Amino acid sequence: MEWVGDARLAAGPEATWYLETAFTPGGQLGTVEGDPTTPVVVTGIEEMCTMRVPSGRLVVDAPWHDDEAWMYERGLPTAPPRELAARIPPGTYPVEIAWTAGPYEFFGEHFDGVRCAATRLRISDDPVSAWEMGLGVDDDINRLQPGEKLAFASDANVGCFADAGAWAALSAPFRTYVDGVPVPHVSEELPDWCERVSDASQQADLVTFTAESGGVVWLGRTRTGDVAVIVVSSGSLGAKA
């Protein structure tokens, strides 16, 4: 039987176009700001790492929030992370970046305009039949207003994918503060200033990505309703998703 989603969560035509074009090498995602003659083109998809999700439960949120820093330093309880209501099979999955290029000139200097358009966690290679906003475990769909977007916030323009079962350990390096200043932590450096933090005891990972001010989490579902990909756009100017 073919899966039928909730229309209140369904991606509109513009968001669907962006999500599909962003991961199509050669696709055009609009034009350079202020220069309608120069296209922004998808140059390729890069697998920046893999990540382990042994619990099958996924957090997509900012790894820390600036307004909670004083709570981190004092060891006080904080709000729970934004865990997706959708479940995925426990396993190890690739995290991929969609790169675009839109050359431009600034004060006589030329730039290639290379940047990340979106990041995805690829659960399977099955074709995506429909896109929908990822509902959080604490979201009430019955309170969703027409046109409202379900999203996470990020003061530092950083989001992450993380195993929900190991969240406390995985997020701790980002939430260790002394005298109001974050303590440097050890992590694996990845492309686009991203990083991977691992917890050996739980065999789980957290991977950061660019997400300007946070963003909507999009689920790409197959005809049977299984989650094939989970995508967050970078929040770049003109992004439709």
Side-chain angles (χ1 to χ4, degrees), residues 38-54:
T38 302
V40 174
V41 177
V42 181
T43 57
I45 313 303
E46 179 181 6
E47 179 180 318
M48 62 175 177
C49 70
T50 59
M51 68 169 288
R52 299 166 295 179
V53 189

Side-chain angles (χ1 to χ4, degrees), residues 72-162:
Y72 304 152
E73 189 162 352
R74 292 165 177 77
L76 298 175
T78 58
R82 191 167 192 276
E83 178 184 340
L84 298 184
R87 298 291 182 250
I88 60 176
T92 300
Y93 302 106
V95 181
E96 300 172 329
I97 288 179
W99 290 108
T100 59
Y104 65 96
E105 182 181 341
F106 186 71
F107 283 100
E109 188 172 356
H110 294 272
F111 299 88
D112 57 18
V114 172
R115 64 172 300 161
C116 166
T119 306
R120 72 180 177 186
L121 184 67
R122 183 161 52 85
I123 310 302
S124 76
D125 293 325
D126 295 335
V128 170
S129 175
W131 294 93
E132 68 172 16
M133 290 186 290
L135 198 67
V137 294
D138 294 323
D139 290 332
D140 182 354
I141 192 173
N142 293 315
R143 300 180 65 179
L144 188 65
Q145 299 299 310
E148 182 182 358
K149 300 297 186 184
L150 296 170
F152 67 91
S154 175
D155 300 322
N157 300 331
V158 176
C160 72
F161 297 123

